[in-house]
Amino acid sequence: MTAPPATLLPASASASRTLTRCRGLVRPALTAAVERLHPYPGEMAAFSFGWCEVGGGPAVRPGGGKGVRQALAVLGAEAAGAPGAAAIPGAVAVELVHAFSLLHDDIMDGDETRRRRATVWKAYGTGPAVLAGDALFALAVQTLAESPGPHGGAAIRHLSGALGDLVRGQAEDLLFESRPWTGPDAVRTAEYRAMAEAKTGALLGCAAALGAVLAGAPEPVVTALDRAGRHLGVAFQAVDDLLGMWGDPEVTGKPVHGDLRRRKKTLPALAALAADGPAARELAALLTADPGTADPGTSDAAVRRAAELVERAGGRATTLAEAHHHLNAARACLASVPLAPAAAGELLGLMPFLVDRAL
Amino acid sequence: MTAPPATLLPASASASRTLTRCRGLVRPALTAAVERLHPYPGEMAAFSFGWCEVGGGPAVRPGGGKGVRQALAVLGAEAAGAPGAAAIPGAVAVELVHAFSLLHDDIMDGDETRRRRATVWKAYGTGPAVLAGDALFALAVQTLAESPGPHGGAAIRHLSGALGDLVRGQAEDLLFESRPWTGPDAVRTAEYRAMAEAKTGALLGCAAALGAVLAGAPEPVVTALDRAGRHLGVAFQAVDDLLGMWGDPEVTGKPVHGDLRRRKKTLPALAALAADGPAARELAALLTADPGTADPGTSDAAVRRAAELVERAGGRATTLAEAHHHLNAARACLASVPLAPAAAGELLGLMPFLVDRAL
């Protein structure tokens, strides 16, 4: 059974169909991989995928991510003219790496909920969550290392490069927390973009590229897919920042203005501060207020005011423009090499869905 | 310059010379690898190797491990008839994996000191230490994935298998903590042995095997070296448990009877309990005493008494016999395949040094 051409469906329906098809293709191998884990990290991994509750019982409300990375891997193989099944070891590996990175990032960031459930460290404890992340990481490498076919070595090199970038991006993000909002050591928007590309884009690019690598695609195709994924990552992070500031908590599952309240460096706030002008200066004063003062910049009123000022100083518009710029750059990467038209169409259909999400 | 034949030197001098030679061979590549890290996890990694203090200044008392795993990798290549340099990417990878596992294990176990210095999580915080471990893990995979030569794929498969075992062993060790000392759910000594083989033996076996893999050795040689390392791991863990119970704190850097005080499951204690008899029963009563009672089994007197009872019930003798049994099994593995005599001699010379350490 083949899906109808993407162009005949509304964008979001077409993208959902692509995601569902790819999840269906990859799920048996992903499940089989997770079942290879020791039962203890295995349960934590299954919990993080939304497959079970604490204790291992069936999930009350089965959840989990949309499976963007596995879809990029499958479409990468198809775009290179191979069956999507060629990408399966790569698709499993990138989903496992994504799960590992969420698990460890939630520990580093102290986040207690994700997708409306407790995070793994909150549900099982920090030590076990460190272990579960390590187990997912090792399983990702093992899955790709043991994949049959002549392209395993190149695939592992791609994945290990992305892993290095991902960790480097997370290191930058952690360091941003302790850097000032203003002055010569302030985080510049270019640095933020580089962090987002490494932390979010490297794995998205790796996913699409891995599919092509496993399909035996020529180097220019692999590189174009990798670059497209990296641009997509920057766009994705920009939108994530917008949602963290103005998204509906009912939809995002995150508290309103949560990033501002925690004084997390985000692109809208950094872009607003970089704009200069009275709104930017008032925003800087709010964000740098001593937490010990009467209005420490974290009260509801101060946080609402900060969000207003970010918008007034152009932070929202700049961030949205940034997202669209990188989305277009991703499209241009795809257009730069010969790809199988149906898969390229699905890739193009998926991109705005990921970026526009709830805006 | 070649080292004199191992047999002409006292065992420990010969082993030290081997370790020094291998560290010298591997150190430039290990340093170059660590320098590829982002400066933040890079500093934490260098701190964990004993190369610097917090902040990055030179180490006041340069330290670090003996480099057992890199030596096994170098000797594995030499035993297979290749120059030790053939093993360098594998030697670097196993040292990085070892450093990663120590970093994350110290978080899981809550250990605050290692080698007489603060552990990384204690010095830098838990989140950064999780990140530093991840960075070392990714770097290990990348180092091996990018290694030149025709055997990189096989090497990565070996390493990823060992990573899986290592995590599985750590999961078992964590679960042992919540299992009872007595009754049908008590940890059996066979389970403990399997845990030690996975947690400690898999990486030692992988180290020796990787050297041979990178040297292009035939499968029986690779398997024999892997098995030898696994036996060595069980012996090593047994001795570690003995040192944790009766070792001189001045030498081990650990508090006397520390494992008993924390009621950690160790081979001497499990073997003593399995022996039955009056000493075993008194020991069981002490170890299972409610922490809320007047003598919770963790007072100095109770812990001293527990150590006496472990010895009286035969736990010390059984553990020592276990260590020697696995040491002999490791020797038998080496004798089962044709190896280059000089390297085989160095391997044989290294083993008792590792196991007998401070007994």
Side-chain angles (χ1 to χ4, degrees):
Chain A
M1 212 176 82
T2 52
T7 45
L8 296 188
L9 289 165
S12 66
S14 149
S16 287
R17 188 176 278 247
T18 296
L19 291 170
T20 304
R21 176 176 76 83
C22 294
R23 277 200 306 270
L25 187 63
V26 176
R27 177 68 186 256
L30 182 58
T31 310
V34 171
E35 280 170 357
R36 290 176 67 184
L37 292 173
H38 182 284
Y40 186 35
E43 181 191 314
M44 290 186 272
F47 175 85
S48 81
F49 281 118
W51 300 346
C52 74
E53 299 297 326
V54 175
V60 173
R61 202 177 54 177
K66 294 185 286 297
V68 173
R69 289 154 194 84
Q70 59 194 320
L72 289 175
V74 169
L75 293 173
E78 292 175 345
I88 288 178
V92 170
V94 290
E95 286 297 323
L96 294 172
V97 167
H98 182 52
F100 137 76
S101 76
L102 295 182
L103 260 167
H104 280 188
D105 285 3
D106 285 338
I107 297 172
M108 294 180 222
D109 299 340
D111 285 334
E112 300 190 354
T113 61
R114 174 175 292 280
R115 297 176 192 143
R116 290 181 189 73
R117 303 169 88 213
T119 49
V120 173
W121 74 265
K122 189 70 186 165
Y124 291 88
T126 298
V130 171
L131 178 76
D134 293 345
L136 286 161
F137 193 159
L139 185 62
V141 176
Q142 199 166 13
T143 299
L144 211 49
E146 293 174 357
S147 74
H151 306 295
I156 279 276
R157 275 192 296 281
H158 262 272
L159 184 74
S160 72
L163 285 167
D165 283 350
L166 189 153
V167 172
R168 207 167 289 120
Q170 176 66 6
E172 281 296 303
D173 202 19
L174 273 188
L175 285 180
F176 285 174
E177 282 177 27
S178 54
R179 286 175 58 185
W181 284 102
T182 57
D185 291 334
V187 179
R188 286 162 292 144
T189 53
E191 289 178 284
Y192 189 88
R193 206 173 292 121
M195 178 281 289
E197 182 182 325
K199 182 175 168 168
T200 308
L203 191 59
L204 291 171
C206 174
L210 267 187
V213 166
L214 292 168
E219 186 53 37
V221 169
V222 172
T223 302
L225 287 168
D226 195 314
R227 289 207 182 126
R230 285 173 175 269
H231 281 297
L232 198 59
V234 180
F236 190 91
Q237 186 61 52
V239 173
D240 211 56
D241 285 357
L242 291 172
L243 291 173
M245 208 164 291
W246 293 284
D248 179 352
E250 284 294 307
V251 177
T252 64
K254 295 175 182 177
V256 68
H257 304 331
D259 286 348
L260 270 178
R261 199 176 303 271
R262 292 160 51 191
R263 298 196 188 182
K264 189 168 161 58
K265 308 280 186 314
T266 62
L267 189 55
L270 295 172
L273 289 173
D276 213 357
R281 283 191 291 276
E282 187 185 338
L283 178 65
L286 262 180
L287 289 171
T288 57
D290 183 338
T293 61
D295 188 351
T298 55
S299 69
D300 285 349
V303 166
R304 260 198 315 276
R305 177 71 183 154
E308 268 172 42
L309 292 166
V310 170
E311 180 148 20
R312 197 171 300 174
R316 183 176 191 158
T318 304
T319 303
L320 202 54
E322 174 95 6
H324 283 289
H325 165 74
H326 284 282
L327 188 57
N328 285 330
R331 288 187 182 114
C333 289
L334 294 186
S336 71
V337 286
L339 299 176
E346 283 192 87
L347 272 172
L348 286 170
L350 204 53
M351 287 181 171
F353 175 73
L354 298 180
V355 172
D356 284 345
R357 283 180 290 165
L359 285 181
Chain B
M1 211 176 84
T2 51
T7 44
L8 297 187
L9 289 165
S12 65
S14 148
S16 287
R17 186 176 278 247
T18 296
L19 290 169
T20 304
R21 177 175 75 85
C22 295
R23 278 199 307 269
L25 187 63
V26 176
R27 177 67 186 255
L30 182 59
T31 309
V34 171
E35 279 169 359
R36 291 176 65 184
L37 292 173
H38 182 285
Y40 186 34
E43 181 191 315
M44 290 186 271
F47 175 83
S48 80
F49 280 119
W51 299 346
C52 74
E53 300 297 326
V54 175
V60 173
R61 202 177 52 178
K66 293 184 287 295
V68 173
R69 290 154 194 82
Q70 59 193 321
L72 288 175
V74 169
L75 294 174
E78 292 175 343
I88 288 177
V92 170
V94 291
E95 286 298 322
L96 294 171
V97 167
H98 181 53
F100 137 76
S101 77
L102 295 183
L103 259 167
H104 281 189
D105 285 2
D106 285 338
I107 297 171
M108 294 180 222
D109 299 340
D111 286 333
E112 301 190 353
T113 60
R114 174 174 293 280
R115 297 175 192 146
R116 290 183 189 74
R117 303 169 87 212
T119 49
V120 173
W121 74 264
K122 188 69 186 168
Y124 291 88
T126 298
V130 171
L131 177 77
D134 293 346
L136 286 162
F137 194 159
L139 184 62
V141 176
Q142 200 166 12
T143 300
L144 211 48
E146 293 174 357
S147 73
H151 307 295
I156 279 277
R157 276 192 295 283
H158 261 272
L159 185 74
S160 72
L163 286 167
D165 283 350
L166 189 151
V167 172
R168 207 166 291 121
Q170 178 66 5
E172 281 295 303
D173 202 19
L174 272 188
L175 285 180
F176 286 174
E177 282 177 27
S178 54
R179 285 175 61 185
W181 284 101
T182 56
D185 292 335
V187 179
R188 285 162 292 145
T189 52
E191 290 179 282
Y192 188 88
R193 207 173 290 123
M195 179 282 289
E197 183 181 326
K199 182 175 169 169
T200 309
L203 190 60
L204 291 171
C206 175
L210 267 186
V213 165
L214 291 168
E219 185 53 38
V221 168
V222 172
T223 303
L225 287 168
D226 195 313
R227 290 205 182 127
R230 286 173 175 266
H231 281 298
L232 199 59
V234 180
F236 190 90
Q237 186 61 52
V239 172
D240 211 54
D241 286 357
L242 289 172
L243 292 173
M245 208 165 289
W246 293 285
D248 179 353
E250 284 293 306
V251 177
T252 65
K254 295 175 182 177
V256 69
H257 304 330
D259 286 346
L260 270 179
R261 199 176 304 271
R262 291 159 52 191
R263 296 195 190 185
K264 190 168 161 57
K265 307 281 187 311
T266 60
L267 190 55
L270 295 172
L273 289 171
D276 212 358
R281 282 192 290 279
E282 187 184 338
L283 178 64
L286 263 179
L287 290 171
T288 56
D290 183 340
T293 61
D295 188 352
T298 54
S299 68
D300 284 349
V303 165
R304 259 200 314 277
R305 176 70 184 157
E308 267 172 41
L309 291 165
V310 169
E311 180 148 19
R312 199 172 299 175
R316 184 175 191 160
T318 303
T319 303
L320 202 55
E322 175 94 6
H324 282 290
H325 165 73
H326 284 281
L327 189 57
N328 284 330
R331 289 186 181 117
C333 288
L334 295 186
S336 72
V337 286
L339 299 176
E346 282 192 87
L347 272 172
L348 286 170
L350 205 52
M351 288 180 170
F353 175 72
L354 299 179
V355 172
D356 284 344
R357 285 180 289 167
L359 287 180

